Amino acid sequence: MIQTMRWTIFLLGVMIFSLGISTAIRVQYLGVHPWDVLNVGLYEKVGFSIGTWNIIISVLLIIISWILDKSYIRIGTFFNAILVGLFVDFYLWTDILPVTTHTWTDIFIMISGIIIMGVGGGIYNAAGVGSGPRDGFMLSISDKLHAPIGRIRIITESTVLVLGLLLGGPVFFFTFIFTFIQSPIFQYTYKRCKYKIDHIETRLLQKQSRNLGA
């Protein structure tokens, strides 16, 4: 029961997170997250879909993390790597998202996408079934080098951003403020969801204990 609840929340979070990525990509000329700059750049230069590149890069990061520190790799990490890419392609393929208008409404769409990503990321991480490939990668690097995770995140995302820019990925204003908007929303959602999940789990365990003692 508890694991079913956690996996359901994880799946819901991944779906919401992917929706946020796809929404932001719709108005990518305003700038997207560094990792998506790389994904879009590879898509435009090499081919395949944006979601496919998301999966390929995620798998590569999992392999590196596995070599450095297996503790951050769990079954949810593998599901995250595959599902996010699949859902991103699904949302973009179904053409259900707002389209670029090159008016002020595009800014609203972009901010909505960033908020949705923050909420979705907080939800799936709160489920506790495994870190995302990127988070696991940066945490394993941080542990290996004994360096602050904040510094590793800045270095990693800056490197990814430069690579994406060289490939022609969409870099603009929102690329540089993405994290400042997303991170607080992620943190708030994560804390609230984790509290709720832990509370429900405690109640379920107490109920099971009473039933066994009856």
Side-chain angles (χ1 to χ4, degrees):
M1 178 67 177
I2 293 172
Q3 285 302 309
T4 300
M5 175 191 70
R6 286 188 175 276
W7 279 103
T8 301
I9 293 170
F10 169 80
L11 181 58
L12 176 64
V14 167
M15 291 174 67
I16 295 172
F17 181 71
S18 304
L19 177 63
I21 293 176
S22 303
T23 301
I25 287 174
R26 278 296 198 185
V27 286
Q28 61 182 266
Y29 76 92
L30 293 173
V32 291
H33 191 275
W35 286 103
D36 293 318
V37 170
L38 180 59
N39 290 331
V40 174
L42 286 166
Y43 158 71
E44 292 179 347
K45 284 289 184 182
V46 183
F48 300 125
S49 65
I50 295 173
T52 299
W53 281 114
N54 192 301
I55 294 171
I56 292 171
I57 292 172
S58 294
V59 171
L60 289 174
L61 294 179
I62 289 174
I63 292 171
I64 296 172
S65 300
W66 185 271
I67 295 170
L68 294 175
D69 188 348
K70 297 182 179 66
S71 64
Y72 293 108
I73 307 300
R74 299 173 66 182
I75 186 66
T77 307
F78 292 96
F79 277 107
N80 180 292
I82 303 300
L83 291 177
V84 170
L86 292 177
F87 279 125
V88 166
D89 278 350
F90 172 75
Y91 289 131
L92 294 174
W93 174 72
T94 54
D95 206 30
I96 60 175
L97 301 174
V99 295
T100 305
T101 62
H102 291 279
T103 64
W104 67 269
T105 57
D106 287 351
I107 296 177
F108 175 75
I109 294 170
M110 175 60 76
I111 293 175
S112 297
I114 296 172
I115 292 172
I116 293 169
M117 281 182 69
V119 171
I123 291 173
Y124 83 68
N125 275 281
V129 297
S131 301
R134 291 159 185 77
D135 292 329
F137 170 76
M138 287 185 279
L139 287 168
S140 61
I141 292 287
S142 175
D143 287 351
K144 197 71 174 178
L145 299 178
H146 304 289
I149 182 61
R151 185 186 304 167
I152 296 300
R153 181 178 291 275
I154 290 171
I155 293 172
T156 301
E157 293 189 350
S158 296
T159 302
V160 167
L161 178 59
V162 171
L163 289 174
L165 182 61
L166 291 173
L167 289 167
V171 176
F172 199 56
F173 179 69
F174 274 98
T175 301
F176 302 100
I177 66 170
F178 216 102
T179 303
F180 295 103
I181 300 174
Q182 185 184 359
S183 292
I185 297 168
F186 170 90
Q187 183 175 358
Y188 175 80
T189 306
Y190 173 78
K191 287 183 176 180
R192 294 297 299 173
C193 286
K194 190 175 187 305
Y195 171 79
K196 290 289 186 183
I197 292 169
D198 290 345
H199 179 67
I200 293 171
E201 184 172 324
T202 300
R203 291 181 62 183
L204 288 171
L205 289 172
Q206 288 174 345
K207 184 178 179 180
Q208 288 176 5
S209 180
R210 287 196 299 268
N211 290 338
L212 289 172

